[in-house]
Amino acid sequence: MKTKMITFMFWVLCFDLAVGKECTNTPTELSSHTFRYQLLNSNNKTLKQQVLLNHHDHLTPTDDSAWASLLHRKVLKQEDEFGWMMMYRQMKNQRGKSSISGRFLNEVGLGNVRLDPDSNHGQAQQTNLDYLLMLDVDRLVWSFRKTAGLPTPGAAYGGWESPDQELRGHFVGHYLSATAQMWASTGNDNLREKMTTVVSILGDCQEQMSNGYLSAFPSEFFDRFEAVQPVWAPYYTIHKIMAGLVDQYVLAGNNQALKIVTQMADYFCKRVQNVIKQYTIERHWRSLNEETGGMNDVMYRLYTITGDSKHLLLAHLFDKPCFLGLLAIKADELSGFHSNTHIPIVVGSQMRYEVTGDPLYKEISMFFMDIVNSSHMYATGGTSVSEFWSEPKRLATTLQTENEESCTTYNMLKVSRNLFRWTKEIAYADYYERALTNGVLSIQRGKEPGIMIYMLPLGPGKSKATGYHKWGTKFDSFWCCYGTGIESFSKLGDSIYFEEAGKDPGLYIIQYISSSVNWKSGQIVLDQKVMPVVSWDPRLRVTTTFSSNKEGISSTLNFRIPFWTTSNAKVTLNGQGIPLTSVGSFLTVTKKWSLSDVITLELPITLRMEAIEDERSEYASLHAILFGPYLLVGLSTDDSDLKPDSDSISDWITSIPSDYNSHLISLSQETGKSTIALAHTTNTITTVKLPDPGTRMVRLESESQKGCFVYSFNETVKLGCDSGGSDSGFLAGTSFKMMDGISNYSPISFIAKGLNRNYLLQPLFSLRDEHYTVYFKVS
């Protein structure tokens, strides 16, 4: 209990020193989900009162005043002031124009893509499917039934889904989205039955309440919200539930889900209109627009399905002028904003662009992506520290355990894929690959279903198993990042292939992930086989083959040539070389495809260093090391000094051959009912419980250890020391059995020469509990 209180006070101090930007009615430190959860579960009544009650009058300005306050920032001529406000009011009063989505690339639906089960992505998907199937329907909907006054069999889940948590129900929304995506990706019948049952029960709950309302908490939460009283983000939770229902309709064809979500939308349309009528211009609806997350996004999506103009109006009421306005005038003032509740607002603004065609919203999201990439992005592709954006180009002093909230990576992928669909710019596809490979694949604990992380540590010598949150648990965490996590691993196939309609249809292959796609427009089935990448043969090899039940038509395949490869890349069609386009563009091949056609790509992968995004001279030496799209981290607990002895990075960072795995051994000993092993900890050889397979232990080197030495006889290893005696107990206690290594080197492993020692480098996504360093001091 003492440790928990110290940790909680640490969070209090952090947010007291650096609170979020004032763009909501919420006390700004409460924007943090972590802080809010700790506060609501604290026994410190005085602190609760101080934080919650003393800040209840924190209000934001109205739409018009927020927009007008940006006038001086835009540096307009005086005569342009009228035009500035007219532009805003025209934008505000749009009621929907013809959709411009016909100009965009369309994703190939998840139902037409299948991942190779043996690939990293296929295994991650299967691990997630196992978890979704573990979850119990009655426990998931317990609080919904309770709120509706229906019988509640079973027991509610714990963590953020506990009946006493104000955010309860949010994970169920994510579950609806994730199961719809996973069913489309796999066709698993057991999963379809579970998710259909959840939708049916939610329908029963809504019918019982009779007014269209549906939630795991009572509508009184919105009474508190509208009275500007403390409550934990009810609209954030509602938007998750509504988004899940929309996904159940769009991806799984569940008409009941559409009926439920439409009734919910109608309920909130009436409620919000009533609220607006009750407030003066000084206390406009905007003053209540708290942690709404992607409420604007889900309402724009619903509008595209229903065409109901009131859904479009409600969507716009959840846009934030005090945030989007800054982006509209191209001001990088992200620092201090809560990342995960503002990135979805950008996603919503992207949907508004697609619905209305207003180019301002396109510019907003393009500028947002540019400043995140140039000033707020870690080498993983992630952003945020302790849930917030920090100062631009000042990332060196933010490296710790609480970096890169997983939710932010999930949402940034949405922003980047939309921008790619609009522009076909390969940089957005490159970013997607970086964030997916290093940010998403890194949050699962191997193949253990339901074990994920909230934050991805990026500080020197950190571990996914340490820090404030550590690894979550299957049934008692349910953080926001558990929700986005189960979605991320359910839709791994949604951004591999995009199609372009037309007389000669085109397919864009933007991610190299072993998979097959049924491309109906092109009347072919394409199979993409990616050979596993290894460090000792630095090339990405992709083979594309075809099958079809119809007579082929002329169509175009566009292959991404990523920025990380070289001009020595090779592409062949049926064994004949194809002239290669430049790096950072698409290779285009057009023909009538047949069963005999084979396209092969061989893309050289190079090592490179990337400086941390920090313009201060004292941090100029901090660099991350990447191998193509893979972020390499060094196994280390504290030191992080590299000493290159050559200008060529390949001279001092060398690959580990595959046969080196035979050099790895473990030394174990049976003691009663358990097995112990030798481990190296803080320059000392100690005994530990034999870890599970897949856990890395530092190899015991054949060097003397302060009077001790190691020698072997057949398969028995002796640890000899100057003990002053040779009794049988001592000899038995220092005898160990030689076994194969508990784990092998990752196929992508390197040795880097350091100032004081060498470092083992391997991909971040391959680690579980090991301590590692992302940014090295390169001198």
Side-chain angles (χ1 to χ4, degrees):
M1 180 62 70
K2 183 178 180 180
T3 301
K4 289 184 178 179
M5 181 56 68
I6 292 173
T7 305
F8 175 53
M9 291 308 298
F10 165 77
W11 278 95
V12 173
L13 289 172
C14 285
F15 287 108
D16 185 54
L17 293 171
V19 297
K21 286 275 180 71
E22 296 185 354
C23 191
T24 69
N25 70 299
T26 308
T28 48
E29 59 268 39
L30 293 181
S31 296
S32 164
H33 286 315
T34 300
F35 180 83
R36 175 90 71 155
Y37 178 80
Q38 288 296 320
L39 183 67
L40 294 180
N41 288 277
S42 169
N43 293 322
N44 190 328
K45 295 182 179 179
T46 302
L47 183 62
K48 280 186 178 181
Q49 183 177 20
Q50 178 182 353
V51 175
L52 292 174
L53 300 182
N54 291 357
H55 297 275
H56 70 278
D57 58 347
H58 182 83
L59 299 174
T60 59
T62 66
D63 279 10
D64 290 29
S65 61
W67 195 257
S69 68
L70 299 172
L71 272 173
H72 70 285
R73 304 288 303 279
K74 192 65 178 174
V75 194
L76 294 175
K77 299 176 184 177
Q78 186 173 3
E79 58 267 27
D80 289 338
E81 181 173 340
F82 178 75
W84 172 260
M85 294 309 298
M86 286 299 293
M87 179 180 71
Y88 168 66
R89 287 175 180 170
Q90 180 182 7
M91 173 188 74
K92 175 182 175 181
N93 295 322
Q94 283 176 329
R95 291 295 180 267
K97 300 178 181 178
S98 59
S99 173
I100 60 172
S101 60
R103 306 176 191 173
F104 307 146
L105 296 178
N106 297 315
E107 69 175 64
V108 176
L110 283 170
N112 295 313
V113 179
R114 289 295 181 265
L115 300 182
D116 179 349
D118 295 327
S119 67
N120 288 332
H121 298 77
Q123 292 172 4
Q125 177 181 269
Q126 182 61 47
T127 299
N128 193 51
L129 174 59
D130 293 342
Y131 180 48
L132 295 178
L133 291 172
M134 280 182 190
L135 294 169
D136 179 77
V137 169
D138 287 330
R139 299 191 70 183
L140 284 168
V141 301
W142 195 94
S143 289
F144 286 88
R145 283 171 163 161
K146 180 70 173 179
T147 299
L150 294 175
T152 53
Y157 279 123
W160 288 17
E161 284 296 301
S162 297
D164 60 346
Q165 297 304 311
E166 293 183 350
L167 212 66
R168 60 187 181 271
H170 79 105
F171 181 82
V172 175
H174 286 293
Y175 178 84
L176 290 173
S177 291
T179 51
Q181 294 159 352
M182 184 65 83
W183 177 80
S185 299
T186 64
N188 186 282
D189 290 334
N190 292 332
L191 190 65
R192 184 177 182 86
E193 181 180 355
K194 289 174 75 78
M195 69 190 195
T196 302
T197 301
V198 171
V199 172
S200 178
I201 293 171
L202 295 183
D204 293 341
C205 293
Q206 187 182 59
E207 183 177 356
Q208 177 73 12
M209 289 186 279
S210 74
N211 61 354
Y213 181 75
L214 173 68
S215 180
F217 50 75
S219 60
E220 283 76 15
F221 278 33
F222 289 96
D223 295 338
R224 289 160 56 188
F225 180 72
E226 292 158 8
V228 200
Q229 295 175 355
V231 63
W232 190 4
Y235 273 112
Y236 173 90
T237 303
I238 286 294
H239 112 257
K240 301 297 185 188
I241 299 167
M242 294 180 72
L245 290 165
V246 169
D247 286 331
Q248 284 289 322
Y249 171 72
V250 172
L251 296 174
N254 191 322
N255 290 318
Q256 185 182 17
L258 178 60
K259 179 182 177 181
I260 295 170
V261 73
T262 301
Q263 291 182 5
M264 291 179 69
D266 291 345
Y267 170 86
F268 285 107
C269 283
K270 295 176 183 177
R271 180 155 197 149
V272 170
Q273 289 294 338
N274 289 334
V275 171
I276 291 175
K277 291 177 183 177
Q278 296 172 11
Y279 280 81
T280 65
I281 193 66
E282 288 78 19
R283 297 187 67 182
H284 187 267
W285 164 248
R286 287 292 176 197
S287 67
L288 299 175
N289 194 354
E290 181 227 8
E291 263 190 70
T292 56
M295 192 69 182
N296 60 344
D297 177 42
V298 70
M299 291 307 303
Y300 285 127
R301 289 182 63 198
L302 188 59
Y303 169 75
T304 64
I305 298 171
T306 65
D308 192 328
S309 60
K310 67 175 178 288
H311 296 159
L312 179 64
L313 175 61
L314 186 62
H316 180 59
L317 288 172
F318 284 98
D319 291 330
K320 273 190 177 179
C322 55
F323 179 68
L324 294 181
L326 292 169
L327 298 174
I329 64 171
K330 293 182 166 46
D332 181 358
E333 295 196 8
L334 295 181
S335 62
F337 279 113
H338 187 263
S339 305
N340 185 46
T341 50
H342 286 83
I343 304 174
I345 293 170
V346 176
V347 177
S349 75
Q350 290 182 311
M351 278 302 302
R352 183 174 179 85
Y353 168 60
E354 296 196 15
V355 167
T356 68
D358 189 332
L360 178 63
Y361 285 93
K362 178 182 179 181
E363 293 296 320
I364 282 173
S365 63
M366 291 181 70
F367 177 73
F368 171 75
M369 194 73 190
D370 288 346
I371 59 175
V372 169
N373 281 347
S374 64
S375 305
H376 300 273
M377 185 186 76
Y378 299 106
T380 56
T383 187
S384 82
V385 54
S386 295
E387 301 185 27
F388 293 83
W389 279 301
S390 58
E391 291 294 328
K393 296 185 183 297
R394 295 288 192 277
L395 298 190
T397 46
T398 68
L399 301 176
Q400 51 164 278
T401 58
E402 307 305 302
N403 292 118
E404 190 169 350
E405 184 182 4
S406 300
C407 289
T408 63
T409 307
Y410 158 88
N411 282 309
M412 286 302 298
L413 290 179
K414 289 186 176 183
V415 176
S416 63
R417 76 191 299 270
N418 285 337
L419 288 171
F420 174 76
R421 287 177 48 244
W422 300 348
T423 67
K424 304 178 193 174
E425 290 188 14
I426 206 164
Y428 297 127
D430 285 335
Y431 170 83
Y432 197 99
E433 177 184 51
R434 178 195 292 260
L436 178 67
T437 302
N438 304 295
V440 173
L441 292 185
S442 293
I443 70 173
Q444 280 182 331
R445 193 175 189 273
K447 299 179 182 179
E448 299 181 50
I451 308 299
M452 294 179 284
I453 54 174
Y454 194 134
M455 304 283 190
L456 184 56
L458 299 178
K462 303 305 181 184
S463 167
K464 300 173 188 178
T466 60
Y468 181 75
H469 291 95
K470 306 178 183 179
W471 290 109
T473 59
K474 295 180 179 68
F475 308 126
D476 291 294
S477 294
F478 298 110
W479 306 317
C480 53
C481 293
Y482 256 57
T484 54
I486 61 173
E487 283 195 52
S488 290
F489 292 112
S490 293
K491 60 185 182 72
L492 291 172
D494 79 344
S495 293
I496 304 176
Y497 307 99
F498 291 88
E499 62 179 345
E500 189 169 40
K503 182 180 178 181
D504 295 318
L507 184 71
Y508 284 78
I509 303 168
I510 73 164
Q511 301 298 328
Y512 295 119
I513 298 171
S514 288
S515 55
S516 63
V517 56
N518 182 5
W519 183 30
K520 295 179 179 178
S521 298
Q523 298 181 14
I524 60 173
V525 174
L526 180 152
D527 184 71
Q528 178 188 175
K529 183 65 176 179
V530 183
M531 296 297 292
V533 174
V534 296
S535 58
W536 57 87
D537 186 9
R539 288 173 285 185
L540 179 71
R541 293 183 176 88
V542 184
T543 302
T544 303
T545 55
F546 305 86
S547 61
S548 175
N549 294 324
K550 299 180 180 180
E551 182 179 351
I553 62 173
S554 177
S555 59
T556 300
L557 300 183
N558 302 277
F559 294 90
R560 177 176 65 103
I561 308 300
F563 79 97
W564 46 256
T565 192
T566 72
S567 59
N568 293 324
K570 298 177 182 178
V571 182
T572 64
L573 172 60
N574 300 329
Q576 300 296 314
I578 299 177
L580 187 66
T581 186
S582 60
V583 170
S585 59
F586 283 99
L587 172 71
T588 298
V589 185
T590 303
K591 73 184 299 285
K592 283 189 177 182
W593 302 99
S594 67
L595 298 180
S596 60
D597 288 330
V598 178
I599 294 180
T600 63
L601 286 79
E602 190 174 285
L603 306 177
I605 305 178
T606 58
L607 288 161
R608 71 184 186 279
M609 291 193 297
E610 288 184 358
I612 195 168
E613 291 181 356
D614 200 305
E615 59 190 3
R616 294 170 290 184
S617 59
E618 60 266 38
Y619 300 110
S621 64
L622 280 183
H623 288 74
I625 301 171
L626 293 101
F627 179 63
Y630 306 101
L631 174 64
L632 301 178
V633 298
L635 298 189
S636 168
T637 56
D638 47 21
D639 51 343
S640 59
D641 295 294
L642 296 178
K643 186 68 174 180
D645 54 11
S646 169
D647 291 335
S648 175
I649 192 171
S650 60
D651 287 342
W652 56 278
I653 298 181
T654 55
S655 65
I656 296 180
S658 59
D659 60 2
Y660 271 38
N661 283 318
S662 63
H663 298 182
L664 296 174
I665 63 170
S666 61
L667 305 177
S668 65
Q669 180 186 107
E670 298 290 337
T671 59
K673 296 182 179 180
S674 63
T675 302
I676 62 172
L678 288 183
H680 180 266
T681 306
T682 318
N683 297 321
T684 303
I685 302 299
T686 61
T687 57
V688 297
K689 181 181 178 181
L690 185 68
D692 295 329
T695 302
R696 180 176 297 281
M697 296 173 62
V698 177
R699 182 176 61 178
L700 179 64
E701 304 289 351
S702 57
E703 299 175 357
S704 61
Q705 296 279 338
K706 294 185 178 180
C708 297
F709 58 92
V710 177
Y711 62 94
S712 62
F713 180 74
N714 293 331
E715 294 185 357
T716 301
V717 177
K718 297 285 187 179
L719 177 64
C721 294
D722 184 10
S723 63
S726 58
D727 60 90
S728 59
F730 175 79
L731 292 176
T734 56
S735 296
F736 291 84
K737 180 181 179 181
M738 186 185 303
M739 303 167 57
D740 290 336
I742 295 174
S743 64
N744 290 332
Y745 291 114
S746 164
I748 306 174
S749 290
F750 295 84
I751 293 294
K753 294 181 180 179
L755 182 63
N756 301 309
R757 68 177 184 88
N758 292 342
Y759 295 91
L760 172 62
L761 305 179
Q762 62 185 73
L764 177 58
F765 73 79
S766 69
L767 301 188
R768 300 201 313 186
D769 298 340
E770 301 91 331
H771 289 261
Y772 58 86
T773 292
V774 174
Y775 286 97
F776 289 89
K777 299 173 186 176
V778 182
S779 57

